């Protein structure tokens, strides 16, 4: 199966959002404040990544497709 760049970016965005959800869910189950802080940092990082991938998608939209030789 071959994915387009847009499809790969969509998958990446979903993975990052899922990761954020998992980390935030784990934080609620922990009693160790140090581990909670680490997971919170990781969740925050995961939350930032979709913005990066979305910008990449926008650049794809602005660029005309390359003809196949």
């Amino acid at each position: 199966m071959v994915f387009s760049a847009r499809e790969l970016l969509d998958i990446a965005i979903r993975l990052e959002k899922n990761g954020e959800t998992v980390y935030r869910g784990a934080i609620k189950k922990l009693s160790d404040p140090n581990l909670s802080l680490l997971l919170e940092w990781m969740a925050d990082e995961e939350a930032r990544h979709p913005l990066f991938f979305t910008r990449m998608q926008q650049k794809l939209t602005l660029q005309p497709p390359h003809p196949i030789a």
Side-chain angles (χ1 to χ4, degrees):
M1 177 180 286
V2 177
F3 294 100
S4 70
R6 180 166 302 288
E7 290 169 323
L8 289 173
L9 290 168
D10 283 338
I11 292 168
I13 289 168
R14 276 185 271 146
L15 286 171
E16 298 296 333
K17 288 180 178 182
N18 290 345
E20 179 189 3
T21 299
V22 168
Y23 293 138
R24 296 210 190 276
I27 290 168
K28 295 175 185 177
K29 298 176 183 178
L30 295 174
S31 59
D32 181 342
N34 290 323
L35 187 52
S36 292
L37 284 173
L38 174 63
L39 290 178
E40 185 176 352
W41 175 82
M42 292 172 68
D44 290 344
E45 288 297 306
E46 296 289 68
R48 288 180 1 168
H49 296 157
L51 301 173
F52 172 77
F53 293 130
T54 299
R55 283 194 297 270
M56 289 178 72
Q57 281 183 324
Q58 290 168 347
K59 288 180 183 177
L60 285 175
T61 304
L62 296 175
Q63 296 173 355
H66 298 287
I68 298 175

